[in-house]
Amino acid sequence: MQYVSDPYEVEQQIKANRFALLSNVVQPPTNGLPSEIIALRFDARQELLWSGNVAGRIHSYYGQAMEKYTSFYAAGTPIRDLETVQDVALAATSNCLTGFKRNGSLAFNHASPLFEDIYCINSPVLAPNMVFLGGNQQTLVQLDVETCKEQRILSLKEPNCIMMRSDNRNLYTADSLGNITVRSWNTPDPINTIPAHSGAISDFDVYGNRLISCGYTSRLGKLHSDPFLKVYDIRNFRSQMPVSVMFPPVFCRFANPYFDGQLLVVSKFGAVFAADLNSPIMTPVYYGISTPLNMAISSSRQCAALSDASGAIYLFSERTTPLFNIQTTWSTPNPLTCPPLLTKILTKDLSSCSQIPNQSYLNPNGDDYASDWLSTPDKKRQINDSMSGFINNPDAVHEFADYKGNNKMSNSLYDGFGGQGFDAEFVQDGYTTMSEQRGRPFPSKHPDVPTIFPQLYKRTIQQRMRHNSTDETNYAKWNLSQYTSIIENPTFAYVNTPLHAMYFLKPIRNMFLNHLCEDEHCTCCQIGFLYRMLYDQQVESPVANSNLIRSLKMYAEISAISMIKEGKSYGYFVKELQAYLRVIFKQIKKELPRRYLQEPDTSPTLFSKILGASYTTTSRCSSCGSKEIIQDELLTVILDYSKIQDNVGVPFTQVLEENYNYYNKQMEKCKRCLRMAYAESRREYAQLPPVLAVDVNLTSLRAREFWLTQNKIYDTRPDGSLNEFDARFVVTNKRPAAVKKNGRVSPEANPLIIGSEHRSTGAIDRHKAENSQKTPFGHTFGKWGHYLPSRISVKEENGRWNFSESSGPGTINYMLCACVMAICEGENNFSHFVTIVKDSNPKEPFKNWVVFNDHIVTPVNENEALFTDLNWKWPCLLFYVNPLHEIFKSNDETHRMSIPKEVFDACKNLASHSKSAPKPNVPLEELPKPGDIIGLDAEFIHISECRTHRSVGRVSCVTEDKIIVDDFIIMPESDIVHDYVTEYSGIVESDLDPHKSTKYLTTLKSTYMKLLYLVENKVIFVGHALNNDFRMLNIYVPPAQIQDTVQLFSLPNYKLLSLQFLAKEILNEDIQQKTHDSIEDARMALTLYRKYNEMKGGSGFVNIMLKLYETWSSQRSSPVTAAIRYAK
């Protein structure tokens, strides 16, 4: 049975009571008995309301009319709680978690011994594929829905966890003793505990800066309903004035999207009241709910739903046409939109991202559901009123996923539409094609035509060597500049580019180079280590950022960024970069004050002095005239294009001026007079920082249309400049080198290949000769133009900042020094980011900009650097600097902090075992001096199932008579060991377990700083295949400080010999008999090095090596393989 209120009655009731009953539905009984609905949840991504009853059946309803959508059995036991994540709806029973697609098909079923008595489930806002499960048990389980693996198991100090809520900041858990524990959903360790009630909590809610709860109080040994709603400020966890009620409350929720002061309160007798925290009066909304069992509030805070013991669901709202979700991420598309083949529908009304389109497609039979399709829909059916409102919305893109088999849908559906996608011009006359309607820069008629752009911007991951090798012979030809590049990690494509851009801002570079602290996962320390490598490392060898990414993975916010990509929303890669900048800037401000073995610095951080713009926002109510003044700091200005009236020919400086002189006027409720009135807000900056970080923010239709228009006017380039010849991309494809007798390599090459076209060597030579007069990216013919200005001038006049491209008296001049661009290879087909920086000391005056595209580094002219085209090159982040500012004058030279020798004493053994080994006891004054020789060896373990990702497990440094370092490395929580490779590493599982280990266990950062100290003190490292060790440790050691026995005991074009073989044949010592030991290997390398110094020189050494190769070859049952490998 279904009831939908009359719109006029709803409107009148809202005027009188602020809330109204929109609709209600009664579920059919099970086995002749009413089905008590004990689980209720609004879908966080679609306009659906989910319910679960005691019989284990799940129903879902669409929109404010609560139209039946899906119905299916989920389990044979009661549904305890429901939740929705990116692609599935989750149902929790007492000992199982089941995932369903929104059409009812089963996605997974996960049972675990950790699920003793599950009662609640919650998914954090910023991590849509992560869920927490709690219940009448003392464990809180964090589960990854994609992999169905428990990521964390937290032992609770509380007796249980019967209820959970979350917001953008924290996770909140309630127990049966009346306490609400605030947790960081990153860890999730407790932050604070709120003793809300002396008895159990029946409901609580969090919104904005407030937490409200209702529950029970214990009097004379019995539980009674607490007559107060408890209110807390979650910023400082302080109690505010409680709200007195005249009835026993069982549910309370915040029910206004604009402020955290309006509530819906439900009594245990079934009465619904509207309350205001600023007023003692409660307004009755509805009576007659039979024993309310559960309550849910939508993410938009516009709708509230109640269920009762009779199987009824009631939907309330404070508006006539509410939305469950204001901005929906359509990861799992809405089956109601049209049949699955109609793949893309674009809509215009930005206020709604969830719609019921063509109602004639819905099955008219009362017992069927809207996920069922008619078997033969009419191809020429016109769009009715319900569809015409959203067919023009350009920001809502819905794509259909796979569907469960439906016997009401036949193949004639596909035949009727000819296998083509849904296009608006085909449905109704007068509509243009989708791409024309949106003004997209990408062609829709020929989607298979590739986008053409210069080769220097193309993705280069596939050009690397196997196993991500950074062999200089492979990378030297790609870098035409004097600067070192950073290797891209495809999973974290957004990490490198902003940090690489900031490296070229000397104050920021020096800031990180002079930071050091003890925190294991300090982001600032890892950026500082990365900058040291960029400054020291040879140009031919790119830098890896594996240690930095390892630290970033410890933050749940970083893991949540990957969820943005899964949605594939338009410009999702820009949103990933924006989310990353928010996280990284927050961490930098938090970590910079820390100092190594010292108290934190309490003065304002240098980062704020460089990028921070302090501002004051003044808001004035037009009704009572009250003012609210807020002071804050802006590190990055995110461009807003909504205030720009005309798109045609708008200078970029005007866009900056509109955003730095912020003004807004909107209707909102005044906190003082409690009236809805216009509020005027102005933002004033006291002064602008020396570096302006500008987020171009191309994530909205308005922004894309604006830039598309400017591209057409300003951005031009000469004909033929997109596909100029570049000799670096002439690929030589060589056959595997044949190996002659005794291990000697004899290389043999195939004909050269350019792209996919096989040519002879002569053809290649002719092609080079024809293009020898062309200078790549130094065009002299044709017209260049770019919208981005290379210089801007700013002047303050009467509290307003005026921007222009021409300087004058009293102006502050800013130069564009670095930017981050996104490269796309088709419509919304993001490829990668590139960093483009201005070279202050170029080799060629006209190529004073450098493009960093992974390991491909190319000097270009300013026109090429600043040219933008939304077909393939999107501007994302810009850095304008004031070079005359005092902070740049004082940082003209690069300087950095030296690693203190105290790093050898400051770290503690993390192994708690009573028999754990002490750290090597070397007095600080006896540490190796410059020029001293030490042996080094490292052992590695596999942290991926495919054995392609390794992590260091042990590092040893020795002298002839001392052990300087012998560290076993504890694995962070973000790394899961799949194979300890004990046969080759000598490491067993218990060695790295802090509870079982008898070794000296420490962090990778601690060991890294020890090695960095030795490197900075010019110590000579001796070892076997040291390049592998240093690459995996992600540390740079100058070649002059490396003596590698694998290279010393080798001849040109001959195979490299193993340490075990050299020890046996040269020293007559057996090593690595059962397993490897890094102490033994390091000392053996030292002994071999001394022996080499005795043997080297003259023809005698060559003869000895030739005999060694003969011995090596004779010991093999088959010929020596051609591949050169580093054997340990």
Side-chain angles (χ1 to χ4, degrees), residues 1047-1059:
Q1047 298 292 343
L1048 296 177
F1049 289 94
S1050 67
L1051 294 178
N1053 296 328
Y1054 278 80
K1055 187 174 177 59
L1056 303 178
L1057 301 174
S1058 70
L1059 181 65

Side-chain angles (χ1 to χ4, degrees), residues 256-267:
N256 190 299
Y258 300 112
F259 73 104
D260 53 4
Q262 189 165 306
L263 313 172
L264 268 185
V265 186
V266 183
S267 76

Side-chain angles (χ1 to χ4, degrees), residues 380-383 423-432:
K380 294 294 184 179
R381 183 164 290 149
Q382 299 297 313
I383 300 174
D423 200 334
E425 65 177 358
F426 140 84
V427 175
Q428 186 174 8
D429 296 336
Y431 283 98
T432 59

Side-chain angles (χ1 to χ4, degrees), residues 477-525:
K477 75 170 185 176
W478 298 104
N479 192 341
L480 303 181
S481 75
Q482 54 190 326
Y483 303 105
T484 307
S485 61
I486 308 178
I487 290 294
E488 175 191 344
N489 185 317
T491 308
F492 301 91
Y494 46 79
V495 169
N496 290 344
T497 46
L499 297 180
H500 205 177
M502 290 192 292
Y503 171 79
F504 288 89
L505 309 179
K506 285 187 178 179
I508 295 182
R509 182 198 308 175
N510 288 339
M511 176 187 71
F512 287 116
L513 289 176
N514 286 278
H515 173 82
L516 195 67
C517 71
E518 297 130 285
D519 183 13
E520 176 187 359
H521 302 294
C522 175
T523 305
C524 293
C525 286

Side-chain angles (χ1 to χ4, degrees), residues 657-673:
E657 187 171 314
E658 290 291 339
N659 282 270
Y660 274 97
N661 297 284
Y662 175 81
Y663 171 79
N664 188 34
K665 184 177 181 180
Q666 66 180 13
M667 181 73 71
E668 61 182 37
K669 187 171 183 178
C670 177
K671 296 181 180 179
R672 181 174 179 180
C673 66

Side-chain angles (χ1 to χ4, degrees), residues 62-95:
Y62 185 87
Q64 69 182 70
M66 297 185 66
E67 299 178 1
K68 291 182 291 184
Y69 184 71
T70 51
S71 178
F72 52 90
Y73 275 105
T77 57
I79 306 296
R80 293 280 183 88
D81 202 2
L82 295 164
E83 182 60 283
T84 59
V85 293
Q86 194 77 9
D87 296 321
V88 295
L90 304 175
T93 59
S94 60
N95 58 4

Side-chain angles (χ1 to χ4, degrees), residues 806-831:
S806 58
S807 61
T811 60
I812 305 173
N813 296 322
Y814 285 85
M815 309 290 293
L816 181 59
C817 286
C819 51
V820 175
M821 304 277 189
I823 305 301
C824 296
E825 297 181 356
E827 181 176 353
N828 204 37
N829 185 18
F830 168 70
S831 177

